[in-house]
Amino acid sequence: MIFDDIRCFPDRMGYQEALSGVRELCVEHLGEHLGGQLAALARPAFDLKPADESSAAAGLCRWGGPALLEPGTPWPMYAGVPLSLYAVLDVGALSPWLGDQIPPTGSALLNFFFLDPETGSTEVPKEASGFSYDDPQVCRVVPADPQRAIEIAAPDPAPRFDRIPLVATPVVTLPSASSYDCDPVLNSLDFGNEFEETSLYRVNPGWLVVDKFGEDAWPRYCVSEQGIEWGGMSNQAFGWPPIRSYGVDLLEELSPDEPYVHLLTLGSTDLWEWGDGGIVRFVAPAKALWEGDLSQVRANPDDW
């Protein structure tokens, strides 16, 4: 693996070293012209796993538990129903690796809330029980100053999840080239004369990256060099979203006119699970996010 001690967060020099290995892999399988372009899209991220005796949590990063909010911050609601606290990211603990991906909130804690579909209470009004995932109000990301934040438990009837500290392993991510649900950004690469001998890729140029790189080379590299469990259920903070098997419509909706930014993906594990091995992903339009507007964050669950 690139980093043997995942409890130590490498600096930007470490990222450049890791990025060099990714670039070599891209060029090996796609050639200098196309492989160099793909490598240039790389973004730093963190693979998230529950902490144990051998691996310490990344600062205050965790799944579930009470929210970490500044005094006086109202609990996020939807149609009078409290959202559930899903996760907290400690950006300050992650920032040495993130570089220019650090959100404008700086080293703040980020609380990720969502209207959990299991809020099966008779107190839930009809307009909340029939909510649409297209409504940005069903999710919320609330920042908090780590020096001022206090633990606030979710009010009833929001489901409460057990607190699970999270280990954050620094990784390098690329736009997903998983199956034919590849990230639309791959279609924007300059493929040169790659299509001269076949018309297959003219419909969707990104398929060429899938066939030559994404179905074998990149998954093997992620497992062997980055310690990422491959299979579509990754938990990941920042970077390009893991495996595009889920949430495709939402990402395609955000990407044509404005780039999206991936904040967090949570997949089912042995410790928390929803639906048939489902996931929930939090993304935001880049312009809004970098202007500090977290109200535009969208959540997209799948297989719940």
Side-chain angles (χ1 to χ4, degrees):
M1 289 176 59
I2 294 176
F3 307 110
D4 293 328
D5 187 357
I6 61 178
R7 292 169 294 181
C8 300
F9 293 100
D11 57 19
R12 294 301 291 174
M13 289 296 292
Y15 175 68
Q16 293 302 321
E17 180 181 351
L19 185 60
S20 177
V22 170
R23 189 184 191 285
E24 289 180 7
L25 183 76
C26 292
V27 171
E28 176 187 350
H29 291 270
L30 296 170
E32 182 68 38
H33 178 71
L34 185 55
Q37 293 178 74
L38 180 61
L41 295 174
R43 294 176 183 172
F46 288 92
D47 186 57
L48 303 174
K49 294 183 176 67
D52 55 30
E53 295 180 356
S54 63
S55 51
L60 297 173
C61 291
R62 69 196 196 199
W63 154 268
L68 290 171
L69 302 173
E70 295 182 28
T73 302
W75 190 275
M77 310 283 283
Y78 177 82
V81 178
L83 306 186
S84 295
L85 186 281
Y86 269 36
V88 176
L89 290 183
D90 186 342
V91 179
L94 307 179
S95 59
W97 179 252
L98 289 177
D100 59 8
Q101 271 203 112
I102 299 174
T105 54
S107 60
L109 304 170
L110 296 181
N111 295 266
F112 289 80
F113 294 91
F114 190 67
L115 181 64
D116 193 282
E118 297 303 321
T119 309
S121 168
T122 56
E123 302 173 35
V124 178
K126 181 179 180 180
E127 58 266 32
S129 60
F131 71 92
S132 168
Y133 292 132
D134 293 330
D135 188 339
Q137 294 302 305
V138 301
C139 72
R140 215 73 54 80
V141 176
V142 180
D145 183 338
Q147 301 302 317
R148 291 170 40 82
I150 58 175
E151 292 191 344
I152 305 293
D156 292 329
R160 300 180 181 92
F161 307 111
D162 292 337
R163 180 202 321 246
I164 302 175
L166 294 174
V167 177
T169 304
V171 296
V172 177
T173 63
L174 292 172
S176 177
S178 171
S179 184
Y180 295 124
D181 292 332
C182 59
D183 196 301
V185 75
L186 296 180
N187 295 325
S188 66
L189 299 177
D190 176 8
F191 286 82
N193 61 1
E194 293 283 353
F195 303 150
E196 288 185 354
E197 297 180 1
T198 177
S199 61
L200 173 63
Y201 303 123
R202 292 173 187 166
V203 177
N204 190 334
W207 292 356
L208 186 148
V209 179
V210 173
D211 290 345
K212 291 189 175 182
F213 183 74
E215 291 294 346
D216 184 43
W218 182 238
R220 284 191 288 107
Y221 185 87
C222 286
V223 172
S224 64
E225 298 298 325
Q226 303 203 102
I228 301 175
E229 295 179 8
W230 201 257
M233 295 299 126
S234 297
N235 304 290
Q236 182 187 303
F238 302 106
W240 291 97
I243 302 184
R244 286 290 312 282
S245 300
Y246 302 91
V248 174
D249 292 342
L250 176 62
L251 298 184
E252 289 182 340
E253 175 187 334
L254 289 175
S255 58
D257 298 323
E258 180 178 7
Y260 63 85
V261 174
H262 168 252
L263 296 174
L264 180 66
T265 291
L266 293 169
S268 298
T269 74
D270 293 337
L271 299 177
W272 67 79
E273 183 175 2
W274 42 71
D276 185 19
I279 70 167
V280 62
R281 172 171 291 144
F282 295 82
V283 298
K287 183 176 184 291
L289 181 67
W290 300 125
E291 290 178 348
D293 182 6
L294 295 177
S295 69
Q296 300 301 310
V297 173
R298 300 275 296 278
N300 180 239
D302 197 275
D303 275 357
W304 283 38

